[in-house]
Amino acid sequence: MPSPDQSLLGQAAEVFSAADAVTVLTGAGVSAASGVPTFRGTGGLWEGHRPEQLATPEAFAADPLTVWRFYNWRRGLLGKCVPNPAHTALSELEARCRNFTLITQNVDGLHHQAGSKKVIEIHGNIWTVRCTACSREFDTTGQALDDDPHCSSCGGRLRPGVVWFGESLPDHAMTAAYEAVTRCDVMLVSGTSALVQPAASFGAWAKQNEATLIEVNLEATPLTELADISLLDSASEVLPAIVKEMTRRKEQAGT
Ligand code: NAD
Ligand code: ZN
């Protein structure tokens, strides 16, 4: 792979260093280097089903067992994954910024594992389960679940604590995300195809509020034309390189 464009890296480092408020939106591509399959990439299929066929309230109502088998398969895969340098770089970026918010569409919990603090998981977290009867939530991080798990409190059927296709995002997460997107002066969007709404619009909202938009993605997306700086390369290469360049510039300025 050719190394990321040095001049664009330098520009990105400068923009982050001067920022007052940084908001980041991540998607499945940021976890790809951890071995988590993206939905649209190869490896996203499970027993011949597309995730869009299983990750829906209708699929769960019709066949909860199959949907739970799919989620237990994904939990099994994710249990073996660890954060990659893109996750680590984002937690380092947070430590250097005055105001920082990370919004993620990922449900894998890897940003938390990498040490990120202010994380808004707009699509929920796969390690959380929720009772369909009493709405209680349970943290089941790292645990193996039955294929049709039930609530220890009321006996109701449990469901994965993620947002399915066709469901609306939790109000509190959406409000916090909207606030962070419209308040920032620099927005970074990384590892998302920018096709799934409403996150697909976040970059455009930030631009409307005159933020500088930086995109780091393996391939061009609908956001690429809007971006002020677009680095079409792997997040696990580019994000650490930007943070390293920020450090280099800071040290140089201090000498
Ligand atoms: P997506 O699969 O639609 O798009 C992923 C994007 O990342 C693509 O544009 C691809 O080119 C890019 N990409 C792949 N590898 C990359 C890398 N190493 N560096 C930078 N970019 C890379 O994912 P999405 O936009 O997040 O939307 C899919 C939906 O699926 C989301 O709603 C999300 O909740 C869910 N999902 C989550 C996970 C997870 O939790 N890790 C995994 C798969 C899907
Ligand atoms: Zn219950």
Side-chain angles (χ1 to χ4, degrees):
M1 189 189 299
S3 59
D5 183 311
Q6 292 304 315
S7 139
L8 290 179
L9 272 182
Q11 285 176 37
E14 197 168 312
V15 166
F16 283 122
S17 301
D20 180 44
V22 174
T23 295
V24 180
L25 169 68
T26 64
V30 161
S31 292
S34 295
V36 183
T38 60
F39 267 8
R40 287 176 184 78
T42 51
L45 280 186
W46 174 76
E47 295 189 1
H49 297 279
R50 296 232 40 98
E52 295 93 318
Q53 297 173 308
L54 294 166
T56 70
E58 292 78 19
F60 189 64
D63 188 356
L65 223 74
T66 300
V67 172
W68 260 117
R69 282 179 47 235
F70 167 63
Y71 276 94
N72 281 337
W73 169 74
R74 289 191 66 202
R75 287 165 59 106
L77 286 181
L78 288 174
K80 298 189 193 89
C81 295
V82 293
N84 70 64
H87 297 108
T88 309
L90 289 172
S91 87
E92 286 172 10
L93 189 61
E94 178 169 20
R96 283 152 197 255
C97 292
R98 283 185 284 276
N99 299 296
F100 184 94
T101 306
L102 174 52
I103 306 166
T104 188
Q105 299 171 91
N106 297 343
V107 298
D108 53 37
L110 291 174
H111 285 302
H112 284 296
Q113 265 192 57
S116 285
K117 304 263 180 311
K118 195 162 174 204
V119 183
I120 305 173
E121 293 174 310
I122 55 171
H123 291 169
N125 186 307
I126 202 165
W127 300 109
T128 303
V129 298
R130 187 167 74 244
C131 178
T132 56
C134 73
S135 300
R136 254 188 86 179
E137 288 200 348
F138 301 89
D139 177 1
T140 60
T141 303
Q143 292 172 28
L145 296 177
D146 294 342
D147 281 341
D148 189 11
H150 281 68
C151 176
S152 57
S153 173
C154 80
R157 172 168 279 139
L158 294 175
R159 60 160 283 175
V162 300
V163 178
W164 281 327
F165 292 99
E167 291 185 321
S168 45
L169 306 192
D171 277 348
H172 60 94
M174 205 42 212
T175 307
Y178 183 77
E179 216 254 316
V181 168
T182 50
R183 187 200 54 201
C184 69
D185 60 346
V186 179
M187 171 132 200
L188 165 68
V189 178
S190 187
T192 171
S193 56
L195 293 173
V196 180
Q197 290 293 356
S201 302
F202 287 2
W205 293 348
K207 282 289 291 182
Q208 275 163 22
N209 286 281
E210 284 160 27
T212 303
L213 180 63
I214 302 178
E215 184 186 44
V216 176
N217 207 67
L218 214 47
E219 59 193 9
T221 74
L223 268 192
T224 307
E225 279 191 7
L226 268 187
D228 298 286
I229 301 174
S230 176
L231 283 142
L232 298 182
D233 217 318
S234 172
S236 59
E237 305 263 338
V238 173
L239 298 179
I242 292 174
V243 173
K244 198 169 157 200
E245 180 60 16
M246 287 170 74
T247 309
R248 196 188 69 77
R249 284 169 183 241
K250 197 172 169 198
E251 282 169 4
Q252 205 173 42
T255 54

